């Protein structure tokens, strides 16, 4: 009995020891597990860290063995069903420099990756295709390149992939249908080539498709309009051709319809304003569209941006163009609008724009429009920044009430048939009109901001008012080719930032200012009779020569070509070959003056204003008012070459600037 009890007791003790040992082992294992977490995720994260070349903000300083990885910066783990599995990595705008580690594909519970606005480069590893739970992939604003990661189509939960602003130069995968849950596809600003995949039409939940700024060619898929959920269709800055598929007019939920800068053609649906009740932006500029501007635009009451410029639209501008009261930008420049009205009232749409209380940009440059400028233009929104009605056929007067537009920066009415101040006006262009009379005082009662005032090419008379001398920080003042007279204010030089930006050529009775501006000095009553006689003898030939020279040089000066407005406003500019030819002409002239004349002639005042261009764009150096003539004299008793310079009077034999003749300089 004792033996049996002893054996039984021994067994009990052994079982208890085994339970204690097992419990201790389990506790130890549990402690290690809770400390280090899942070993696969931990190892994958460490591999990701070791692949980072630069971490300027030190965001990975917490990634070490002493801290549980679920508490590392930018790592988010699950707290519920799959405890300690990594769900999200978030490193936006941290300046990280690296290629993307393929070990990230081992984080199989990832649902989101945020690596936008860093310096990741190289290819996207194909291992990302293992992340079948991944819903958000933000890789925008990096330098990824190479082949498209086709394995991403295996991420069947994907909803929001963004590869915006990278360097991919491949075709978009033909088959994207497996990504049926996509609500956003962002491939903007890459170098994708080829055509738009027809399989895009199967992404029935897609809300935003942004393929802008790539090299895509061919047609827009015909059935793209089947995606009824689409709100943002952005295909701008590609090489797409053909017409707008009729199915796109079924996208009634559209907010943003952007097709600008392609090679699309054909006409716009006349009822385009009806199917898009929520449309905010309609941008089809810089294409080859023809036909008329749809009258139905007035029904798209939520339109903010209307951009139809640089096409071949014709006909009249709809009278109710201003019915979308929220419109801020209306751009119709560079088309063939107008010219068909027998009544000459092509500008009858302007009164409706008064309804656009948020209007900021009104651009109607270069058309066949004609008519008188409605006085209601002065009643436009006080928020308007730019009015561009240049190079059309406007006549009449400019209402002085235009000064009520307190925020107007640019008012371009150049090359019209006008016969005739805004506190923040930055640019006022009234060049090449039929303006006559004197310049109204209100034009110079402006703010202290940098300004550009262009009155050139008119028939303005009278003197320049003293108020122009109060316009501090005046950027440029163009008064050439008028009939102004009198003296310039002495304070003008203090106002102008750059003296070369003041042009008065062709105003032969305009003088004064200051020596900084290099304009003719006005005669005064205190000049001695002998000096006055000398000045007259010098000035008369100079004025005559300048007048004849301006007639012979119809392309004006290099100054006007270099500093006139270019770009969307349509002014010509010098191409590289013309600039090179002008430089060679000027260099050849100087070489002749310095080495091929009997004496050396130093021009001393070479600048764009003094380089004139003829009909063939051949340049001619003019104005020798500051020139020096250096003659060479040989002597047996001196060095082989002595030089004698015309330092007493600056100028040539036939031309001495009046101010130097009078002042004996």
């Amino acid at each position: 009995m004792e033996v049996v009890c002893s054996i039984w007791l021994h067994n009990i003790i052994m079982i208890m020891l085994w339970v204690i040992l097992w419990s201790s082992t389990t506790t130890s294992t549990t402690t290690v597990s809770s400390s280090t977490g899942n070993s696969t995720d931990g190892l994958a994260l460490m591999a990701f860290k070791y692949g980072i070349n630069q971490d300027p903000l030190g965001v990975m300083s917490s990634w070490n063995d002493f801290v549980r990885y679920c508490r590392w910066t930018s790592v988010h783990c699950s707290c519920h069903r799959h405890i300690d599995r990594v769900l999200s990595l978030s490193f936006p705008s941290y300046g990280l420099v690296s290629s993307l580690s393929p070990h990230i594909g081992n984080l199989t519970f990832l649902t989101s990756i945020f690596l936008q606005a860093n310096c990741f480069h190289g290819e996207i590893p194909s291992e990302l295709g293992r992340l079948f739970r991944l819903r958000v992939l933000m890789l925008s604003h990096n330098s990824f390149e190479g082949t498209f990661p086709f394995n991403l189509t295996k991420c069947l939960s994907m909803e929001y992939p963004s590869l915006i602003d990278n360097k991919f130069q491949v075709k978009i995968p033909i088959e994207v249908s497996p990504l049926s849950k996509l609500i956003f596809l962002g491939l903007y600003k890459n170098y994708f080539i080829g055509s738009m995949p027809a399989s895009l039409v199967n992404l029935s939940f897609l809300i935003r498709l942004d393929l802008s700024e790539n090299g895509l060619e061919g047609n827009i898929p015909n059935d793209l309009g089947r995606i009824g959920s689409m709100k943002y269709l952005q295909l701008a800055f590609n090489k797409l051709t053909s017409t707008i598929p009729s199915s796109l007019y079924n996208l009634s939920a559209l907010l943003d319809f952007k097709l600008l800068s392609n090679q699309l053609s054909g006409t716009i649906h006349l009822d385009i304003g009806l199917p898009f009740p929520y449309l905010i932006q309609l941008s089809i500029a810089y294409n080859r569209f023809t036909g008329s501007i749809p009258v139905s635009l007035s029904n798209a009451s939520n339109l903010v941006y209307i951009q139809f410029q640089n096409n071949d639209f014709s006909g009249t501008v709809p009278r109710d163009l201003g019915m979308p009261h929220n419109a801020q930008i209306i751009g119709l420049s560079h088309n063939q609008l107008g010219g068909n009205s027998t009544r000459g009232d092509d500008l009858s749409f302007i009164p409706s724009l008064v309804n656009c209380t948020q209007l900021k940009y009104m651009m109607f440059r270069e058309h066949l429009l004609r008519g008188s400028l409605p006085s209601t233009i002065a009643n436009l929104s006080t928020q308007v920044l730019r009015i561009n009605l240049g190079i059309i056929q406007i006549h009449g007067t400019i209402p002085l009430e235009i000064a009520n537009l307190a925020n107007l920066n640019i008012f371009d009415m150049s090359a019209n048939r006008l016969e005739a101040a805004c506190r923040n006006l930055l640019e006022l262009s009234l060049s090449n009109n039929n303006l006559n009379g004197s310049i109204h005082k209100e034009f110079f009662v402006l703010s202290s901001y940098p300004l550009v005032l262009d009155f050139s090419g008119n028939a303005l008379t009278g003197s320049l008012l003293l108020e122009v001398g109060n316009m501090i920080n005046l950027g440029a003042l163009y008064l050439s080719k008028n009939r102004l007279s009198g003296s310039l204010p002495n304070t003008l030089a203090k106002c102008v930032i750059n003296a070369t930006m003041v042009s008065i050529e062709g105003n032969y009775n305009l003088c004064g200012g200051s020596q900084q501006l290099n304009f003719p000095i006005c005669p005064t009553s205190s000049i001695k009779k002998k000096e006055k006689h000398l000045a007259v003898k010098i000035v008369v030939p100079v004025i005559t020569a300048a007048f004849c020279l301006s007639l012979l040089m119809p392309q004006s000066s290099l100054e006007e070509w270099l500093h006139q407005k270019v770009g969307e406003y349509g002014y010509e500019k010098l191409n590289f070959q013309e600039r090179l030819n002008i430089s060679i002409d000027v260099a050849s002239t100087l070489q002749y003056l310095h080495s091929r004349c009997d004496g050396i002639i130093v021009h001393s005042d070479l600048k764009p204003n003094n380089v004139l261009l003829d009909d063939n764009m051949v340049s001619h150096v003019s104005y020798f008012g500051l020139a020096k003539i250096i003659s060479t004299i040989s002597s047996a008793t001196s060095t082989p070459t002595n030089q004698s310079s015309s330092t007493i009077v600056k100028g040539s034999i036939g031309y001495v600037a009046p101010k130097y003749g009078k002042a004996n300089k």
Side-chain angles (χ1 to χ4, degrees):
M1 182 68 178
E2 291 180 0
V3 172
V4 172
C5 290
S6 176
I7 293 173
W8 181 81
L9 182 60
H10 178 266
N11 289 338
I12 291 294
I13 292 172
M14 289 299 294
I15 291 172
M16 291 179 65
L17 288 174
W18 181 82
V19 169
I20 291 171
L21 180 62
W22 178 86
S23 176
S24 174
T25 304
T26 303
T27 302
S28 176
T29 303
T30 303
T31 302
V32 172
S33 176
S34 63
S35 174
T36 62
N38 182 274
S39 60
T40 302
D41 285 11
L43 291 173
L45 290 174
M46 291 305 294
F48 176 81
K49 173 186 177 179
Y50 292 139
I52 300 297
N53 298 325
Q54 295 182 36
D55 178 14
L57 300 182
V59 293
M60 291 189 170
S61 59
S62 66
W63 287 36
N64 54 64
D65 294 333
F66 302 103
V67 180
R68 184 165 162 262
Y69 69 75
C70 285
R71 295 185 178 180
W72 290 352
T73 301
S74 300
V75 176
H76 305 281
C77 295
S78 172
C79 300
H80 302 292
R81 183 178 176 184
H82 303 287
I83 297 177
D84 292 341
R85 300 310 302 264
V86 178
L87 301 180
S88 175
L89 293 178
S90 182
F91 294 91
S93 305
Y94 284 168
L96 300 178
V97 178
S98 174
S99 58
L100 188 57
S101 170
H103 293 280
I104 200 170
N106 294 329
L107 301 172
T108 54
F109 280 80
L110 272 178
T111 60
S112 58
I113 300 175
F114 298 93
L115 300 179
Q116 68 270 27
N118 283 286
C119 296
F120 285 98
H121 54 267
E123 295 188 0
I124 296 177
S126 60
E127 286 79 1
L128 261 66
R130 303 173 187 168
L131 306 178
F132 63 92
R133 295 180 174 88
L134 191 64
R135 294 164 53 193
V136 179
L137 179 62
M138 292 291 293
L139 301 181
S140 55
H141 307 294
N142 281 286
S143 297
F144 288 111
E145 56 188 349
T147 60
F148 190 90
F150 292 100
N151 279 357
L152 286 181
T153 57
K154 296 180 181 179
C155 301
L156 302 183
S157 299
M158 186 74 74
E159 297 177 358
Y160 199 103
S162 177
L163 304 181
I164 289 173
D165 191 14
N166 279 283
K167 298 180 179 180
F168 292 105
Q169 301 185 41
V170 293
K171 293 183 178 181
I172 301 173
I174 296 176
E175 188 53 63
V176 294
S177 298
L179 303 176
S180 58
K181 296 182 180 180
L182 284 188
I183 60 175
F184 170 86
L185 179 57
L187 305 181
Y188 159 72
K189 204 173 183 181
N190 277 279
Y191 304 96
F192 285 109
I193 57 176
S195 58
M196 294 177 59
S199 59
L200 287 171
V201 304
N202 297 320
L203 305 178
S204 55
F205 296 103
L206 199 61
I207 293 176
R208 180 175 177 180
L209 177 62
D210 191 350
L211 306 181
S212 299
E213 290 197 35
N214 283 286
L216 299 175
E217 301 174 332
N219 303 344
I220 300 173
N222 287 329
D223 294 330
L224 201 60
R226 286 168 34 189
I227 308 177
S229 58
M230 186 86 73
K231 293 184 178 181
Y232 302 88
L233 180 57
Q234 298 161 322
L235 307 176
F237 298 99
N238 280 288
K239 301 175 184 178
L240 299 173
T241 55
S242 191
T243 60
I244 298 177
S246 58
S247 69
L248 296 189
Y249 296 104
N250 297 326
L251 300 177
S252 57
L254 268 186
L255 300 176
D256 189 349
F257 191 14
K258 194 179 296 180
L259 301 177
L260 76 156
S261 291
N262 279 284
Q263 299 171 21
L264 297 167
S265 58
T267 59
I268 303 300
H269 201 295
L270 293 179
D271 294 330
I272 192 171
L274 300 177
F276 304 128
Y278 309 109
L279 194 62
I280 294 175
Q281 176 157 332
L282 178 57
S283 184
I284 58 175
Y286 297 93
N287 279 285
R288 300 170 182 174
F289 291 115
T290 57
S292 59
I293 304 293
V295 177
S296 63
L297 279 178
S298 59
N299 296 101
S301 57
N302 289 307
L303 271 176
V304 176
Y305 308 102
I306 304 172
Q307 296 176 298
F308 281 49
Q309 63 266 31
N310 291 79
N311 280 285
D312 289 313
F313 289 111
S314 57
T316 60
V317 180
R319 287 175 178 265
D320 294 330
L321 187 62
M323 289 305 292
H325 295 174
N326 296 321
Q328 295 183 18
I329 297 178
I330 301 179
L332 297 178
S333 296
H334 304 283
N335 280 286
Q336 302 295 321
L337 298 171
N340 298 322
S341 174
T342 57
R343 296 176 295 178
D345 59 350
D346 292 331
L347 303 179
S348 59
F349 65 90
I350 290 181
S352 72
L353 300 183
V354 175
N355 299 318
C356 303
T357 56
Q358 307 297 318
L359 187 64
K360 293 182 179 179
Y361 297 91
M362 171 186 167
M363 296 175 287
F364 290 83
R365 184 181 180 83
E366 286 198 37
H367 286 290
L368 303 176
L369 300 172
R370 59 183 179 179
S372 60
L373 187 64
S375 60
T376 50
I377 194 171
N379 298 328
L380 293 176
S381 167
T382 55
Q383 297 187 37
V384 70
L385 300 173
R386 176 182 297 180
I387 296 176
N388 196 329
L389 292 169
I391 315 183
I392 50 181
Q393 300 179 52
I394 300 177
H395 57 80
T397 59
I398 301 174
L400 289 178
E401 291 80 8
I402 201 78
N404 296 330
L405 304 180
N407 292 304
L408 185 61
N409 290 338
I410 297 176
F411 183 38
D412 186 355
M413 301 288 291
S414 58
N416 278 288
R417 299 177 180 177
L418 295 167
E419 298 172 357
C422 313
R423 297 295 175 190
N424 294 325
L425 191 67
L426 294 181
E427 180 177 335
L428 175 61
S429 177
L430 295 172
S431 62
N432 299 301
N433 279 283
N434 290 329
L435 297 174
N436 53 48
S438 59
I439 303 177
H440 205 279
K441 176 180 178 180
E442 276 71 14
F443 283 120
F444 301 124
V445 186
L446 300 168
S447 73
S448 59
Y449 293 97
L451 302 171
V452 176
L453 296 181
D454 189 353
F455 292 98
S456 59
N458 285 286
L460 297 170
T461 58
S463 60
L464 199 59
L465 300 176
L466 292 175
E467 282 77 7
V468 72
N470 298 326
M471 300 176 67
I472 60 174
N473 296 328
L474 181 64
L477 178 62
Y478 301 115
L479 301 172
S480 59
K481 299 179 183 178
N482 280 286
R483 302 172 188 170
L484 297 170
S485 59
S487 60
L488 293 165
N490 291 328
T491 55
L492 184 59
K494 297 179 180 179
C495 304
V496 182
I497 299 173
N498 185 345
T500 63
M501 300 301 287
V502 178
S503 174
I504 64 168
E505 287 83 358
N507 297 278
Y508 304 115
N509 294 318
L510 199 60
C511 59
S514 71
Q515 289 188 356
Q516 293 171 272
L517 298 177
N518 264 344
F519 295 148
I521 297 176
C522 297
T524 62
S525 57
S526 61
I527 298 178
K528 296 179 181 179
K529 183 178 289 187
K530 183 177 180 180
E531 291 176 331
K532 185 181 293 186
H533 180 66
L534 176 60
V536 170
K537 293 179 78 174
I538 295 173
V539 170
V540 172
V542 169
I543 293 176
T544 305
F547 177 72
C548 295
L549 195 57
S550 66
L551 291 178
L552 294 173
M553 301 296 166
Q555 295 294 350
S556 191
S557 69
L558 179 60
E559 175 76 11
E560 293 191 22
W561 282 87
L562 292 178
H563 297 289
Q564 61 184 334
K565 296 177 287 298
V566 297
E568 71 171 293
Y569 303 107
Y571 280 86
E572 295 182 0
K573 59 181 178 181
L574 295 172
N575 59 38
F576 176 79
Q577 188 61 50
E578 289 173 330
R579 291 172 184 259
L580 180 61
N581 290 340
I582 291 172
S583 300
I584 293 173
D585 289 342
V586 173
S588 299
T589 302
L590 294 180
Q591 194 270 342
Y592 178 85
L593 294 174
H594 293 171
S595 61
R596 296 179 61 187
C597 296
D598 291 338
I600 299 173
I601 299 177
V602 181
H603 189 280
S604 301
D605 193 22
L606 188 62
K607 58 186 180 182
N609 254 337
N610 294 335
V611 177
L612 304 181
L613 304 172
D614 63 19
D615 267 330
N616 298 318
M617 297 300 288
V618 175
S619 60
H620 303 262
V621 176
S622 67
Y623 187 75
F624 285 77
L626 300 180
K628 288 184 180 181
I629 303 174
I630 303 174
S631 61
T632 302
I633 304 173
S634 297
S635 173
T637 60
S638 61
T639 57
T641 302
N642 291 329
Q643 292 182 334
S644 175
S645 174
S646 58
T647 56
I648 298 178
V649 177
K650 295 179 180 179
S652 66
I653 296 174
Y655 183 7
V656 178
K659 59 183 177 181
Y660 294 111
K662 292 183 294 182
N664 196 30
K665 290 184 178 180

